[in-house]
Amino acid sequence: LFNHFRTRKSQLLSALEQIESDKLILKKKYDEVNRLNNELADEVEKLKAINVASNMLVSQDNTEEILKATMKSMSEVLKYDRAIIMLTDKSEKFLDFKYAFGEDPLFIKKYLHDYKIPMDREGNIIARAARLGRPIHIADPGKAGLRRGNLILSNFNVSSFIIAPLVVNEKVIGVVAADRVRGDRKVTSRDLDELSIFTNNIAETLHKAQLKEEIESSYLNTVKALVQAIEEKDAYTRGHSERVALISVRIGEKIGLEQKEIEYLRHGCLLHDVGKIGISESIVCKNAELTDEEYDIIKQHPIKGEEIVRSISFLQDHLYLIRNHHEWYDGSGYPDGLCGEEIPIGAQIVGVADAYDAITSTRPYRRGLPPGEALARINNYSGIQFSPLVVNAFR
């Protein structure tokens, strides 16, 4: 009987030990499942954020804006501390530096301005990723056999990093490289998939923007050539549009316009007289003062110019530079009779620059005035023909 109870006690103790052991195993499995669930939740949130960021990228239609938005997303969504984007040049023989974040801008400018990598450079890991067309994870540059004298590795103290190609229709258009340098958050192989998803969207968006810009540039160059052809027929107006553009940009900078607005101003000035294409050459190139009837015809050139340039999509919201540069501040200008601040600031600027170049240019029927006298005349018409703000900036 005693042996029987001792056996039962032993079995009971063994069962209790097994239960305790099973409880520990269950706890470990629970912790593991909980960890995996948290990781999965993090991944889902990150993918959602990548999707939101990708949709935001699609809304951009300018290469520069896309690059800025891309870098912002890589910092905020993918949690990289530093990143660089390089795009293939037109010859497809080089990767050109385009944008970077995570370092002092002066440091970036010093080492990366005009930085190029030949696509066929065997020893360069970025060029290799572009040639292979697939992402590469480098856990340790030394063990990977990378040359420490490389410009980026040596000057930016790079440890672990990741490189992903930008691929569109099986064609590599550039690469993105990124790393983490703060704390212990190293780049891992898991980052490959996330970055690859993101770079697919970046590549498509960049490619569409580049095609759009090429088309716009081609059209813009065609129209510029037409303007130049008109100016070349008249020795007294040769180079007029370029001079007006130069002066207008300087005024815009003095007033404090944003860089994007200054670029619109530059393009608009180069095209401000394009409407003269639709005016008889006998009037445009006349070597004498215009009659009232001829002047009424020449006054149609802002409207004709707007019609010609309307198909250039990136100037759609800035056609007033062409249409309204002959408006007067007192409302007596043409074609719309706008008054004061009704005249967009860009058109106010072009009006002053255009007038100054006309006043200082010699014509067959009058000599051009020297700069000081031209400025005095413009000052006299401040608040009448010209915006006082623009005249002050011009002065």
Side-chain angles (χ1 to χ4, degrees):
L1 183 63
F2 177 77
N3 286 336
H4 173 72
F5 279 111
R6 188 170 62 181
T7 301
R8 293 296 298 275
K9 180 183 177 182
S10 176
Q11 290 174 343
L12 183 58
L13 290 172
S14 178
L16 287 172
E17 288 176 2
Q18 185 63 44
I19 290 172
E20 288 299 320
S21 176
D22 290 344
K23 281 170 65 179
L24 288 173
I25 293 172
L26 284 172
K27 186 177 184 309
K28 285 182 180 179
K29 290 189 177 296
Y30 172 80
D31 290 342
E32 178 68 11
V33 169
N34 196 44
R35 183 182 66 79
L36 291 172
N37 279 336
N38 287 336
E39 286 184 5
L40 182 61
D42 288 343
E43 290 298 317
V44 169
E45 288 303 312
K46 191 173 284 187
L47 287 173
K48 286 181 180 178
I50 289 173
N51 185 52
V52 170
S54 298
N55 290 335
M56 180 269 294
L57 278 174
V58 171
S59 67
Q60 308 292 337
D61 59 1
N62 173 278
T63 299
E64 186 71 15
E65 294 301 319
I66 292 169
L67 294 176
K68 288 180 182 177
T70 296
M71 290 308 195
K72 184 179 180 183
S73 298
M74 290 187 69
S75 171
E76 296 177 355
V77 177
L78 298 178
K79 307 300 181 186
Y80 289 109
D81 296 325
R82 303 185 299 187
I84 179 174
I85 290 183
M86 302 190 73
L87 300 179
T88 55
D89 67 352
K90 289 184 178 180
S91 71
E92 299 181 9
K93 293 181 179 179
F94 292 90
L95 287 167
D96 289 338
F97 166 74
K98 291 298 179 183
Y99 209 87
F101 83 92
E103 286 287 352
D104 185 325
L106 293 176
F107 201 61
I108 291 172
K109 185 176 182 180
K110 177 180 178 181
Y111 291 106
L112 297 178
H113 181 65
D114 289 335
Y115 180 52
K116 288 176 176 285
I117 303 174
M119 288 283 283
D120 59 359
R121 181 175 290 173
E122 290 293 333
N124 190 283
I125 190 66
I126 294 179
R128 191 189 311 165
R131 287 196 307 273
L132 295 175
R134 59 178 176 78
I136 297 175
H137 170 235
I138 300 295
D140 185 322
K143 292 180 180 178
L146 301 185
R147 186 171 60 86
R148 290 305 305 184
N150 174 275
L151 183 144
I152 294 178
L153 292 180
S154 60
N155 291 295
F156 292 89
N157 193 29
V158 178
S159 54
S160 67
F161 61 96
I162 192 170
I163 306 168
L166 301 171
V167 184
V168 179
N169 300 327
E170 300 183 356
K171 178 183 176 183
V172 175
I173 65 168
V175 293
V176 175
D179 69 353
R180 299 187 181 104
V181 293
R182 299 182 182 92
D184 297 324
R185 302 175 305 111
K186 297 295 183 183
V187 176
T188 67
S189 56
R190 181 181 295 177
D191 292 307
L192 284 171
D193 293 335
E194 292 174 357
L195 188 57
S196 295
I197 293 171
F198 195 48
T199 52
N200 286 340
N201 294 319
I202 298 169
E204 287 289 345
T205 308
L206 270 174
H207 184 59
K208 289 176 182 175
Q210 287 173 336
L211 289 177
K212 178 173 174 288
E213 287 168 3
E214 285 176 11
I215 293 170
E216 288 174 346
S217 177
S218 175
Y219 190 93
L220 188 61
N221 288 335
T222 301
V223 178
K224 280 188 202 173
L226 290 173
V227 173
Q228 189 175 3
I230 292 239
E231 292 184 356
E232 288 295 323
K233 291 179 181 178
D234 183 357
Y236 301 98
T237 61
R238 190 171 297 144
H240 169 70
S241 295
E242 284 81 1
R243 293 192 297 273
V244 171
L246 177 64
I247 296 168
S248 295
V249 166
R250 293 288 298 278
I251 295 173
E253 290 170 345
K254 188 71 175 175
I255 288 175
L257 295 184
E258 292 183 2
Q259 190 58 41
K260 189 173 182 179
E261 292 298 315
I262 288 175
E263 284 306 307
Y264 284 130
L265 188 60
R266 189 193 311 277
H267 292 313
C269 286
L270 292 172
L271 303 175
H272 77 283
D273 276 342
V274 69
K276 289 181 180 178
I277 292 171
I279 306 295
S280 171
E281 189 175 323
S282 63
I283 296 176
V284 173
C285 301
K286 186 177 179 181
N287 291 328
E289 288 196 62
L290 299 176
T291 64
D292 289 342
E293 184 179 19
E294 289 170 335
Y295 186 56
D296 286 338
I297 294 173
I298 205 77
K299 283 165 66 175
Q300 297 173 17
H301 81 270
I303 296 173
K304 290 181 180 293
E306 181 190 35
E307 292 171 354
I308 291 169
V309 179
R310 189 176 296 280
S311 58
I312 302 180
S313 60
F314 73 97
L315 283 176
Q316 284 299 298
D317 297 330
H318 302 271
L319 294 175
Y320 59 80
L321 294 168
I322 296 166
R323 182 181 179 95
N324 300 123
H325 67 279
H326 282 296
E327 303 289 354
W328 280 38
Y329 202 74
D330 65 1
S332 62
Y334 62 90
D336 300 318
L338 300 181
C339 178
E341 297 310 308
E342 292 177 349
I343 308 169
I345 185 65
Q348 294 177 22
I349 291 172
V350 181
V352 170
D354 185 46
Y356 175 78
D357 192 68
I359 294 169
T360 55
S361 296
T362 295
R363 304 289 294 177
Y365 49 88
R366 63 159 175 81
R367 288 191 60 78
L369 296 181
E373 291 182 36
L375 177 58
R377 181 172 291 190
I378 287 174
N379 275 330
N380 290 338
Y381 278 84
S382 178
I384 301 171
Q385 181 176 354
F386 308 116
S387 156
L389 171 69
V390 175
V391 170
N392 285 336
F394 177 61
R395 183 189 301 116

